[in-house]
Amino acid sequence: MPNTRIKCAKALQTVLEDKVFFAALKNDFTAQELPLANMLILSALRYWVALNKILQTFLQKKIPHKHRAAQYLLLLAIAELLLMETASYAVINETVANVRQVSDKFLSGLANAVLRKIIADKTMWQKKMAELNILPHSFTEILAGYTPEQQAKIAAAVVQIPPLDLTVRNDAKLWAEKLNAEILPNATLRLHHTVKVKQLAGYDEGAWWVQDVAAALPVLALGDVNGLKIADLCAAPGGKTAQLAAAGAKVTAVDISAMRLEKLQQNMQRLGFDNVSVFAGDALDFLHNTTEQFDVLLLDAPCSATGTFRRHPEVLHIKNNADVTEQRELQEKLLHASAEKLKVGGILLYSVCSISRIEGEGQIQKFLKVQPNFSLIPIKTEDISRNGQWAENIITSEGYIRTLPYMYFAKGGMDSFFIAKMQRII
Ligand SMILES: C[S@@+](CC[C@H](N)C(=O)[O-])C[C@H]1O[C@@H](n2cnc3c(N)ncnc32)[C@H](O)[C@@H]1O
């Protein structure tokens, strides 16, 4: 049985080389291993550029490709020494033995020397780590259209560990007290302490669900949806479906992934919603074949997910402009197919958890140019406020919502979402 740190190195290698989300690999770890694996891998991904630069300063030549398992172990060990509280002797001893196991004696000697030098000057290396941690070049390309000042603030947000956000079904004040949580302006509950979600009060009775504050905004932007016929076109795992169901809409949840839809159904069951029906398949087929006209179409479209780097720091390293282009094309098809199935007066709500302006602002500007039947409905602060004022302006001059990871930074930040509300006028 490989030990946890070897498993972490392997998982990190898979994430970066096969371009998959770490969340997809969590089943490889036991419940006991998961807290360390989570902390270690996500921390390493947040500081990946700096960690590689630090390791390079100790190497006369590159570690050969065939020994990269050892290199991943070393990078994880540097992260653990500089970012976590584990006793340094434990990290060094285990890494040296692990490197020996996956590689050879020469590299285990090198690991020993490098890690001891780092720990001998820990404070200096911790400072350097913060200074050296810039965004990967491929990610800066995705940030085209943001000012240098915005890009610097986005880069600084990369290392923030996000709090846990919950959307409550009702009575946010009561649940805030029970859970010792802060209430954000849209009534999202924010927990700053580390918790096990399934052990929190209210989980079993379905009083709330996990959802980043920014992800809760698209449905709020719709206003009152009670009794409306709504198709949630890319619905799984169902955060927004749950909000719609809680607000009394008659929802059809559509998703192409059977596995993710199963998760959605489990979530609806836990939350006790029986006003949700499910269509498993491509939303393009659903839209093409349905004879129904909807009051609202919610298109929380598949996207590069680059706005979620606080929770999924791997996107910084595995996503590039080619992903943005690919998703932009699919989003465009979904938008135009949606346009056909709305009642006159109906609302098309488009959202993406992407920081790219191509998938957000650019996509909608283009849609509105070629779809004269639709007009933009500017989103108002009142639509998304339930508990006091937003301290920061998250609504653009056009009336879109554009959240960025540095907004509400002192309070824990938020994912980057783009949201546009459009109405079919003829
Ligand atoms: C951003 S996630 C949706 C998150 C969800 N709305 C929520 O709030 O929990 C995008 C979803 O789109 C689905 N998807 C991707 N391509 C699709 C397609 N052509 N038709 C339907 N669903 C699709 C994915 O399986 C994924 O679940």
Side-chain angles (χ1 to χ4, degrees), residues 211 215 218-219 222 228-245 249-256 261 264 268 275-283 286-287 294-302 334 338 347-351:
Q211 191 175 39
V219 171
L222 286 170
L228 297 185
K229 192 158 82 174
I230 301 186
D232 183 356
L233 292 171
C234 299
K240 297 174 192 70
T241 315
Q243 284 178 283
L244 293 170
K250 287 173 268 176
V251 193
T252 306
V254 179
D255 204 284
I256 203 167
L261 259 186
L264 177 141
M268 294 310 125
N275 46 344
V276 176
S277 59
V278 159
F279 176 92
D282 192 325
F286 171 80
L287 290 164
F294 291 88
D295 298 308
V296 174
L297 287 174
L298 172 56
L299 178 56
D300 186 34
L334 287 163
S338 301
I347 298 291
L348 174 55
L349 200 292
Y350 174 80
S351 59

Side-chain angles (χ1 to χ4, degrees), residues 35-340:
L36 174 67
N38 246 327
M39 190 66 187
L40 197 50
I41 291 174
L42 298 186
S43 303
L45 288 165
R46 290 188 179 109
Y47 284 95
W48 194 240
V49 173
L51 288 170
N52 278 279
K53 286 187 193 163
I54 291 174
L55 179 58
Q56 265 169 35
T57 62
F58 292 99
L59 301 178
Q60 261 123 41
K61 54 182 185 164
K62 277 188 172 171
I63 294 176
H65 190 66
K66 66 174 182 181
H67 289 301
R68 65 196 189 289
Q71 181 159 334
Y72 281 107
L73 278 167
L74 247 172
L75 289 162
L76 280 177
I78 300 174
E80 195 168 356
L81 287 177
L82 296 180
L83 298 167
M84 292 169 63
E85 304 289 317
T86 330
S88 53
Y89 71 88
V91 178
I92 297 176
N93 290 351
E94 198 182 303
T95 304
V96 169
N98 286 344
V99 170
R100 180 83 196 261
Q101 192 181 322
V102 302
S103 178
D104 61 21
K105 210 171 156 184
F106 172 76
L107 280 171
S108 68
L110 177 83
N112 191 29
V114 169
L115 298 178
R116 281 182 199 285
K117 278 186 198 154
I118 287 175
I119 212 63
D121 216 344
K122 184 172 170 178
T123 315
M124 188 277 285
W125 285 114
Q126 281 173 323
K127 215 169 135 240
K128 268 230 172 305
M129 179 113 120
E131 289 163 10
L132 292 172
N133 204 39
I134 57 167
L135 288 170
H137 177 67
S138 51
F139 200 82
T140 59
E141 288 180 339
I142 291 176
L143 298 182
Y146 290 102
T147 64
E149 199 192 349
Q150 284 177 312
Q151 294 200 21
K153 288 202 269 183
I154 291 167
V158 160
V159 296
Q160 188 179 49
I161 299 177
L164 175 70
D165 287 350
L166 307 176
T167 300
V168 280
R169 213 181 162 120
N170 46 46
D171 212 343
K173 285 212 167 82
L174 172 84
W175 285 102
E177 260 171 47
K178 284 196 189 189
L179 297 168
N180 187 20
E182 178 187 1
I183 314 183
L184 300 184
N186 66 326
T188 284
L189 297 194
R190 176 157 280 190
L191 279 73
H192 293 279
H193 43 287
T194 314
V195 290
K196 287 205 165 91
V197 170
K198 288 186 182 170
Q199 289 171 10
L200 279 179
Y203 177 83
D204 288 329
E205 60 198 275
W208 47 258
W209 53 97
V210 174
Q211 191 175 39
D212 187 87
V213 55
L217 300 176
V219 171
L220 292 184
L222 286 170
D224 185 7
V225 293
N226 190 20
L228 297 185
K229 192 158 82 174
I230 301 186
D232 183 356
L233 292 171
C234 299
K240 297 174 192 70
T241 315
Q243 284 178 283
L244 293 170
K250 287 173 268 176
V251 193
T252 306
V254 179
D255 204 284
I256 203 167
S257 160
M259 222 168 73
R260 286 171 67 90
L261 259 186
E262 206 179 299
K263 184 88 192 130
L264 177 141
Q265 280 172 308
Q266 284 165 7
N267 285 336
M268 294 310 125
Q269 208 168 17
R270 175 178 72 87
L271 298 167
F273 292 129
D274 53 13
N275 46 344
V276 176
S277 59
V278 159
F279 176 92
D282 192 325
L284 290 170
D285 293 337
F286 171 80
L287 290 164
H288 185 70
N289 294 324
T290 184
T291 51
E292 295 188 76
Q293 295 286 106
F294 291 88
D295 298 308
V296 174
L297 287 174
L298 172 56
L299 178 56
D300 186 34
C303 68
S304 62
T306 42
T308 66
F309 68 64
R310 296 156 65 249
R311 299 182 195 282
H312 305 287
E314 56 274 57
V315 298
L316 298 164
H317 313 289
I318 66 177
K319 298 287 182 180
N320 57 37
N321 262 340
D323 298 294
V324 168
T325 306
E326 190 187 327
Q327 298 298 334
R328 195 201 64 75
E329 284 165 13
L330 175 58
Q331 291 151 7
E332 191 172 5
K333 281 188 196 143
L334 287 163
L335 272 166
H336 289 291
S338 301
E340 307 289 314

